[in-house]
Amino acid sequence: EDPSVLAQNVDRPSSDDHILGNKDAKIAVIEYTDYECPFCQQFHPTMQKIVQDYPNDVRWVYRHFPLEQLHQQAPTESEAVECANEQGKFWEYHDRIFQEQDKIAGKTGDVITIQLKTWPRNLALILLNLIIVWIRRNIRQTWTPTQMMEEPQEFQELQPSL
């Protein structure tokens, strides 16, 4: 099918998108991706290189497309990246997920433990904050890290399965 016809079905980049590169560039690569997809992982460095080599000419527009039926943790990873975005760390966390994909893809329940043990301190702290944000959103509590440490029994009773 004619690419120009296909492009008509794709929403144009907007302020709601995650964009890297020149936001006004004439060339927009719109990527729909899943954080556990091995093909997406292989494509990721290619897009990084394109944006690096052509910073004024290309904008990389990222959109979540988790395939839960194939990758159980992909929706959780997408939500975590959005939490990182709220802290101004979208691309940093996004890049790290693809770098660490071999360690976390296909794992259930232990993704956060793997990330906390293997990621640099600054990203591990972001992850801890993401956990707190997730808990506040889903349990509607106002827990702090100190309370979690001082009152572990109460926290464990509220803890949802990830």
Side-chain angles (χ1 to χ4, degrees):
E1 196 168 337
D2 180 5
S4 62
V5 173
L6 293 174
Q8 292 173 2
N9 297 322
V10 176
D11 291 335
R12 293 194 176 280
S14 72
S15 60
D16 293 333
D17 286 311
H18 303 288
I19 300 173
L20 191 63
N22 179 356
K23 293 183 185 341
D24 298 319
K26 290 183 181 181
I27 300 171
V29 178
I30 302 174
E31 177 187 11
Y32 290 84
T33 196
D34 174 316
Y35 284 111
E36 291 191 345
C37 171
F39 303 105
C40 299
Q41 180 188 29
Q42 289 175 0
F43 179 71
H44 188 74
T46 302
M47 271 314 302
Q48 289 176 313
K49 180 86 169 119
I50 290 170
V51 171
Q52 178 184 352
D53 290 353
Y54 304 97
N56 297 317
D57 302 317
V58 176
R59 58 184 155 162
W60 179 7
V61 181
Y62 174 84
R63 294 180 180 162
H64 297 288
F65 193 70
L67 301 171
E68 188 172 12
Q69 62 275 33
L70 297 174
H71 307 119
Q72 293 178 353
Q73 294 301 317
T76 303
E77 293 292 348
S78 292
E79 186 174 356
V81 173
E82 286 304 316
C83 290
N85 182 58
E86 291 175 10
Q87 299 175 44
K89 301 287 186 181
F90 175 87
W91 289 103
E92 185 176 0
Y93 195 79
H94 167 88
D95 291 344
R96 191 62 186 214
I97 288 175
F98 281 117
Q99 289 169 2
E100 300 289 331
Q101 186 187 63
D102 296 334
K103 294 178 186 173
I104 61 177
K107 303 284 192 288
T108 55
D110 242 0
V111 172
I112 291 171
T113 303
I114 292 166
Q115 291 171 339
L116 287 173
K117 288 181 178 178
T118 62
W119 288 21
R121 180 177 163 76
N122 65 327
L123 287 176
L125 290 173
I126 291 170
L127 184 59
L128 287 172
N129 284 325
L130 297 176
I131 294 167
I132 294 166
V133 169
W134 189 90
I135 290 168
R136 286 180 181 165
R137 283 183 182 166
N138 291 284
I139 302 178
R140 294 185 173 82
Q141 294 287 334
T142 56
W143 289 84
T144 66
T146 304
Q147 288 173 315
M148 289 180 192
M149 299 300 279
E150 291 174 355
E151 304 168 32
Q153 183 58 38
E154 287 182 46
F155 173 68
Q156 288 174 1
E157 290 171 10
L158 291 173
Q159 210 172 37
S161 61
L162 296 176

